Amino acid sequence: MTSDHDMVWRRCAYLASVLLPLVDQEPWRRSRRHERLRGWEIDTAVGERLIEVFGVLAAHAVALDASLSVAEFDGLPLLAVADAATGKRDFELLAGLPDTFVDAREEQAVKLFRLYVYAGHRSGLQLHQLSTELRYVLVVLAERAPIRSRTCGDVLRRAAEAGLPR
């Protein structure tokens, strides 16, 4: 049986996996992100994977701080996740990780993030740059909402409507 904590993690992972595809519905955003990553001397595939894992960790940290159940996760404001992406220390985002990962790719990405956290100055600078990129993505998606501040649930519904894989 899967615990509520593990289900919250899975929900955070799904949210993070759809952020870049949703923001890339405006194609110029992807090419601009790739330019920034190259300017920061970060491989685009590695950078995008780290942005995704950063998203999982930021959403998870906010959900844990608020003691959200999986049923309450959809009400989490995107801007709270954006604030965590740049407001929490990198090592704080690693607190409360699941004991085991269902997805080996996900586990590898978390290990890469952890390596960046503890590797030193240049890696720390790159993580800071990636956190600002994640914040930018979240703010763009939040500002697309016509009436109210967008929540994680709104983004997940939009991903389902766009046919993005689960």
Side-chain angles (χ1 to χ4, degrees):
M1 184 172 204
T2 306
S3 72
D4 199 53
H5 179 260
D6 290 338
M7 294 300 294
V8 169
W9 174 265
R10 298 297 323 139
R11 200 75 172 149
C12 294
Y14 178 58
L15 171 73
S17 73
V18 300
L19 294 175
L20 293 179
L22 285 175
V23 83
D24 288 351
Q25 288 179 337
E26 296 173 285
W28 63 270
R29 292 191 188 278
R30 183 173 196 220
S31 59
R32 186 168 292 164
R33 180 176 61 253
H34 287 188
E35 285 174 32
R36 279 191 297 274
L37 290 171
R38 284 190 298 272
W40 296 332
E41 298 179 6
I42 301 172
D43 176 79
T44 55
V46 171
E48 288 185 342
R49 186 65 180 127
L50 282 169
I51 290 169
E52 184 178 328
V53 76
F54 222 125
V56 177
L57 294 169
H60 190 252
V62 174
L64 283 181
D65 288 351
S67 300
L68 296 180
S69 68
V70 71
E72 298 166 316
F73 179 79
D74 285 3
L76 182 63
L78 276 184
L79 293 179
V81 178
D83 289 344
T86 55
K88 287 194 172 281
R89 306 271 312 216
D90 304 330
F91 61 85
E92 290 178 297
L93 296 175
L94 293 170
L97 291 175
D99 294 329
T100 58
F101 294 89
V102 176
D103 182 354
R105 183 175 173 262
E106 189 175 286
E107 182 176 14
Q108 182 182 20
V110 170
K111 287 179 179 179
L112 178 62
F113 184 89
R114 184 177 284 133
L115 179 65
Y116 267 68
V117 168
Y118 297 110
H121 178 69
R122 186 172 177 342
S123 297
L125 174 61
Q126 289 178 330
L127 278 181
H128 173 72
Q129 292 163 324
L130 293 169
S131 74
T132 60
E133 188 65 25
L134 172 61
R135 180 177 177 74
Y136 172 76
V137 166
L138 291 163
V139 169
V140 165
L141 292 174
E143 289 178 350
R144 283 187 183 166
I147 299 172
R148 60 184 168 87
S149 177
R150 197 172 282 279
T151 65
C152 293
D154 294 330
V155 170
L156 296 175
R157 280 186 287 285
R158 185 159 179 221
E161 290 167 4
L164 295 176
R166 285 202 98 172

